[in-house]
Amino acid sequence: CETCSKEEAKYRCPRCMKYSCSLLCVKKHKLALSCNGVRDKTAFVSVNEFTDLNLLSDYRFLEDVGRTADAAARHLATYSSTTKRLLFSLRNKALKCNIDLRTLPIGFTKRRENSTTFNSTENKFYWHLKLVFPHCHAEYTLKRVPDDKTLADILKPYIDPVESDPVVCQRLKIYTASPHSDVRILMKIENRRQNSVRYNELDASRSLLDNLKGKVIIEYPTLFVVLKTLKNDMVVLGQ
């Protein structure tokens, strides 16, 4: 024991690594060295001494940081009155365009992700948009998509054989190799029973705003790009 130097040591302090024999000696060493007994998770460890346990410790430390940050984000105090006013204004602007825009409580992933804004000067929405290509198990997130842009133009960088990015084109090869007439753009209809999921088919030649009119949007639109020639379980409303 490094405190009394009499008894055989049984414990080792996680913070300062001092050996102690009993609870009394543990308390004495904490008082003498002003040690709190809590392991220093950010203490420097040289590469030569770095082990799998240190790696696991660092991983758990990052997980703790992530949980703390998430808890702070979920706290109602962070949901300021300014944010509430902006969301209220955004929903009202959407309602005037015949779009039922609904927002989720703070802490939900879609609420954190959403970057949709309304430009009062241009009188235009800039949407946060997610594109899903189920036949290739691919998803892409777009930010600041103007509401007057047609769906065909939005999809060009992804499925157009000439204008699409080479890496994206390779990943979505099944789409780029198919004729444009086979491409269908669907959007899930919200607020339906789980056993009655249906989709609206959108018009690629019309603007994003025109396609969203008369529909319920939860946070931001998610568009599913499918091919008519391939079997899929997405049932369009009315079929």
Side-chain angles (χ1 to χ4, degrees):
C1 176
E2 294 184 57
T3 302
C4 67
S5 302
K6 294 177 181 178
E7 301 292 334
E8 183 181 353
K10 298 177 182 178
Y11 314 107
R12 192 177 190 184
C13 178
R15 189 171 187 86
C16 63
M17 299 300 172
K18 296 287 185 182
Y19 287 101
S20 303
C21 65
S22 63
L23 179 60
L24 182 63
C25 284
V26 169
K27 290 181 177 179
K28 283 183 179 179
H29 110 266
K30 285 183 178 180
L31 189 63
L33 300 175
S34 299
C35 176
N36 60 12
V38 179
R39 182 175 61 83
D40 185 3
K41 297 177 182 179
T42 61
F44 174 77
V45 180
S46 64
V47 176
N48 295 334
E49 297 174 351
F50 200 85
T51 65
D52 288 345
L53 287 176
N54 296 114
L55 180 64
L56 182 61
S57 172
D58 286 353
Y59 181 76
R60 285 175 175 167
F61 174 69
L62 292 174
E63 282 189 322
D64 288 341
V65 172
R67 278 194 292 269
T68 304
D70 187 59
R74 289 171 184 266
H75 198 278
L76 291 178
T78 62
Y79 202 38
S80 66
S81 57
T82 306
T83 305
K84 289 180 179 178
R85 284 197 301 270
L86 287 172
L87 288 177
F88 182 77
S89 174
L90 197 66
R91 290 193 294 264
N92 274 350
K93 296 290 185 185
L95 199 59
K96 288 178 181 178
C97 296
N98 194 24
I99 299 172
D100 187 357
L101 178 62
R102 303 182 186 183
T103 53
L104 296 169
I106 194 166
F108 278 73
T109 302
K110 289 187 78 171
R111 175 85 292 273
R112 291 199 302 267
E113 290 176 343
N114 194 3
S115 61
T116 301
T117 58
F118 183 82
N119 189 313
S120 300
T121 307
E122 300 178 9
N123 196 31
K124 184 189 298 184
F125 274 97
Y126 284 88
W127 288 96
H128 183 103
L129 188 65
K130 182 175 283 188
L131 298 178
V132 181
F133 298 86
H135 303 309
C136 296
H137 305 288
E139 290 186 7
Y140 297 95
T141 299
L142 289 71
K143 295 184 178 181
R144 291 191 58 80
V145 180
D147 62 13
D148 56 356
K149 196 171 186 179
T150 65
L151 298 188
D153 288 337
I154 293 172
L155 290 178
K156 270 185 182 179
Y158 298 91
I159 62 174
D160 190 278
V162 179
E163 297 187 30
S164 61
D165 179 88
V167 177
V168 176
C169 182
Q170 184 61 31
R171 186 178 183 187
L172 304 178
K173 196 173 181 179
I174 191 171
Y175 290 91
T176 54
S178 302
H180 287 298
S181 57
D182 284 350
V183 177
R184 303 168 74 199
I185 305 169
L186 308 180
M187 189 170 74
K188 184 180 176 182
I189 301 174
E190 304 292 352
N191 298 332
R192 287 183 66 92
R193 295 191 307 274
Q194 195 171 2
N195 62 351
S196 179
V197 178
R198 293 292 184 272
Y199 294 83
N200 277 316
E201 185 168 0
L202 308 183
D203 188 345
S205 64
R206 299 179 69 186
S207 69
L208 179 59
L209 180 64
D210 288 340
N211 277 290
L212 297 182
K213 285 181 178 180
K215 298 181 177 65
V216 177
I217 308 294
I218 297 180
E219 289 292 347
Y220 56 81
T222 299
L223 308 184
F224 295 85
V225 186
V226 299
L227 297 173
K228 287 191 289 188
T229 52
L230 294 179
K231 185 180 182 300
N232 65 78
D233 54 359
M234 296 180 179
V235 182
V236 176
L237 186 69
Q239 288 186 337

